[in-house]
């Protein structure tokens, strides 16, 4: 073999290795003939570049082959991403190709979130594309409303301070200062009062303890009294009292109706008159026995008769001789 031929073969090999290495660095494997290609459309790829890894469930299964603008007029500005997979793993056309942040330092990767319902995806199909919010974009999204609210608060505070400066003239500011000084004096007096109260409590600690102990004894005694009352069966006593009152009410009702001796005595005028007359006659009899005892106990040897009853003398309480 001539030197020219050897030089040509070596040059061809060097060029081939260079081309292979260049494509390898780009993420393309020239010796892989079983790759499948899929397309995904994005409005924003968020920094995704060629040769970025493509994963399924965390396993690297391919790479990004090409990123270009869609040539279709109605899709102007849409980015078309071509990905190649080196695996024959099956998934449906409804699977999602999601761009996500591979690390905090940056760098985007693409992950296929497989679904298995529906028609199986084949090489050349279009997949649905999504972009996952990165760490900083998420923080920015959350801070944006806070920033807006903070700006509104600052504007409100500025307006309030401006209004205060307008309202509080020199005289008002002096009055406010005097009020603040008075408030400080009040707080000082309150502190002195609290100090005095603490001192009073400290000096009378023993008396307070004794008072609390007496209070506890009183409550204990009251508790015992309440227990005794509970054990005394007040319900039965009240029932007996009610029965007694009912009997008294019945007795009074019978007396009012004229039943029984007391009832007749209260309601029968004739009996009352007879009792009054009997009492009066008894009084006259006793008076006669006192004034003329000889009429009731009479003894005479000569047969002298006792003097008869004289009503007038009895009425005048005079003895008949």
């Amino acid at each position: 073999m001539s030197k020219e031929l050897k030089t040509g073969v070596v040059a061809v090999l060097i060029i081939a290795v260079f081309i292979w290495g260049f494509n390898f660095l780009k993420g393309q494997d020239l010796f892989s003939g079983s790759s499948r290609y899929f397309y995904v459309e994005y409005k924003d790829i968020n920094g995704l570049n060629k040769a970025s890894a493509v994963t399924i469930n965390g396993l690297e299964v391919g790479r990004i082959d090409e990123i270009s603008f869609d040539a279709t007029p109605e899709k102007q500005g849409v980015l078309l991403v071509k990905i190649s997979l080196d695996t024959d793993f099956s998934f449906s056309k409804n699977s999602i190709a999601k761009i996500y942040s591979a690390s905090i330092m940056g760098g985007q990767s693409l992950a296929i979130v497989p679904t298995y319902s529906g028609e199986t995806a084949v090489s050349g199909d279009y997949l649905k594309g999504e972009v996952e919010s990165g760490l900083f974009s998420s923080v920015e999204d959350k801070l944006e409303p806070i920033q807006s609210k903070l700006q509104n608060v600052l504007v409100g505070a500025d307006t309030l301070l401006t209004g205060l400066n307008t309202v509080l003239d020199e005289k008002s500011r002096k009055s406010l200062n005097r009020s603040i000084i008075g408030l400080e004096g009040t707080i000082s007096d309150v502190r002195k009062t609290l100090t005095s109260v603490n001192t009073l409590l400290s000096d009378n600690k023993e008396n307070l303890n004794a008072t609390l102990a007496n209070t506890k004894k009183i409550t204990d005694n009251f508790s015992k009294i309440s227990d005794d009352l509970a054990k005394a069966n007040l319900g039965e006593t009240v029932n007996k009292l009610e029965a007694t009152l009912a009997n008294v009410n019945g007795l009074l009702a019978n007396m009012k109706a004229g039943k029984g001796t007391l009832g007749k005595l209260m309601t029968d005028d004739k009996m009352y008159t007879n009792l009054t007359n009997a009492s009066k006659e008894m009084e006259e009899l006793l008076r006669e026995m006192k004034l003329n005892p000889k009429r009731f106990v009479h003894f005479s040897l000569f047969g002298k008769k006792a003097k008869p009853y004289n009503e007038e003398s009895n009425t005048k309480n005079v003895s008949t001789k």
Side-chain angles (χ1 to χ4, degrees):
M1 181 181 293
S2 63
K3 291 181 179 181
E4 291 80 3
L5 183 59
K6 292 180 179 179
T7 301
V9 172
V10 171
V12 170
L13 291 175
I14 291 173
I15 293 172
V17 170
F18 177 77
I19 294 172
W20 177 82
F22 179 75
N23 285 278
F24 180 79
L25 292 175
K26 290 173 59 179
Q28 297 179 357
D29 189 0
L30 298 177
F31 301 101
S32 178
S34 60
S35 296
R36 294 182 296 166
Y37 296 94
F38 297 94
Y39 297 93
V40 189
E41 293 179 339
Y42 297 98
K43 292 183 179 180
D44 187 349
I45 60 174
N46 203 18
L48 187 70
N49 53 31
K50 293 181 181 180
S52 295
V54 178
T55 61
I56 296 178
N57 296 337
L59 176 66
E60 184 175 346
V61 294
R63 67 202 59 83
I64 305 296
D65 280 343
E66 186 179 349
I67 301 175
S68 61
F69 286 101
D70 199 319
T72 308
E74 58 268 18
K75 295 183 180 180
Q76 188 175 2
V78 176
L79 292 168
L80 184 63
V81 178
K82 179 182 178 182
I83 61 176
S84 63
L85 301 183
D86 299 331
T87 178
D88 56 355
F89 181 76
S90 298
F91 49 85
S92 73
K93 289 183 179 181
N94 297 325
S95 300
I96 299 173
K98 180 182 293 185
I99 298 175
Y100 67 96
S101 179
S103 64
I104 299 178
M105 300 303 296
Q108 302 294 320
S109 297
L110 190 146
I112 296 177
V113 182
T115 58
Y116 309 102
S117 60
E119 186 179 353
T120 302
V122 296
S123 183
D125 285 340
Y126 280 75
L127 302 179
K128 298 178 182 179
E130 287 185 3
V131 179
E132 184 179 67
S133 298
L135 176 62
F136 294 104
S137 60
S138 299
V139 173
E140 184 178 358
D141 292 339
K142 291 181 181 179
L143 288 178
E144 185 176 356
I146 297 176
Q147 181 182 2
S148 178
K149 292 181 180 179
L150 182 59
Q151 288 178 349
N152 294 332
V153 171
L154 292 176
V155 171
D158 183 66
T159 304
L160 177 62
L161 292 176
T162 303
L164 286 175
N165 290 330
T166 303
V167 173
L168 295 177
D169 54 8
E170 184 177 357
K171 183 177 180 181
S172 299
R173 286 195 292 269
K174 289 182 180 180
S175 177
L176 182 60
N177 290 332
R178 288 195 297 269
S179 299
I180 293 173
I181 293 172
L183 181 61
E184 290 179 352
T186 303
I187 294 174
S188 177
D189 293 339
V190 170
R191 288 178 178 174
K192 291 180 182 179
T193 303
L194 291 177
T195 303
S196 300
V197 171
N198 290 332
T199 304
L200 180 63
L201 292 176
S202 177
D203 294 340
N204 294 274
K205 184 177 181 181
E206 294 182 359
N207 294 332
L208 289 174
N209 291 334
T211 303
L212 292 176
N214 293 332
T215 303
K216 186 176 183 302
K217 290 181 180 179
I218 292 172
T219 54
D220 292 340
N221 293 333
F222 183 76
S223 177
K224 292 180 180 179
I225 292 173
S226 62
D227 292 339
D228 294 339
L229 290 176
K231 295 177 181 178
N233 197 1
L234 290 177
E236 183 177 355
T237 303
V238 171
N239 292 333
K240 291 181 179 179
L241 181 60
E242 289 179 351
T244 302
L245 292 175
N247 292 332
V248 172
N249 290 331
L251 179 62
L252 293 175
N254 291 333
M255 292 174 62
K256 186 175 181 181
K259 297 180 180 180
T261 303
L262 291 176
K264 291 180 179 180
L265 182 61
M266 291 176 63
T267 57
D268 193 347
D269 295 337
K270 185 177 181 180
M271 179 175 288
Y272 173 76
T273 302
N274 292 335
L275 286 175
T276 302
N277 294 333
S279 175
K280 184 177 180 180
E281 291 176 358
M282 180 64 71
E283 181 182 358
E284 292 177 354
L285 176 62
L286 291 175
R287 187 183 295 112
E288 184 67 21
M289 290 178 66
K290 181 178 179 181
L291 295 175
N292 302 299
K294 294 179 179 181
R295 182 178 292 122
F296 300 94
V297 182
H298 178 70
F299 179 77
S300 177
L301 295 175
F302 303 100
K304 187 178 180 180
K305 294 181 179 181
K307 295 182 179 180
Y309 171 73
N310 190 334
E311 184 177 358
E312 182 178 358
S313 297
N314 188 285
T315 302
K316 293 181 178 181
N317 200 14
V318 177
S319 174
T320 58
K321 297 180 180 180

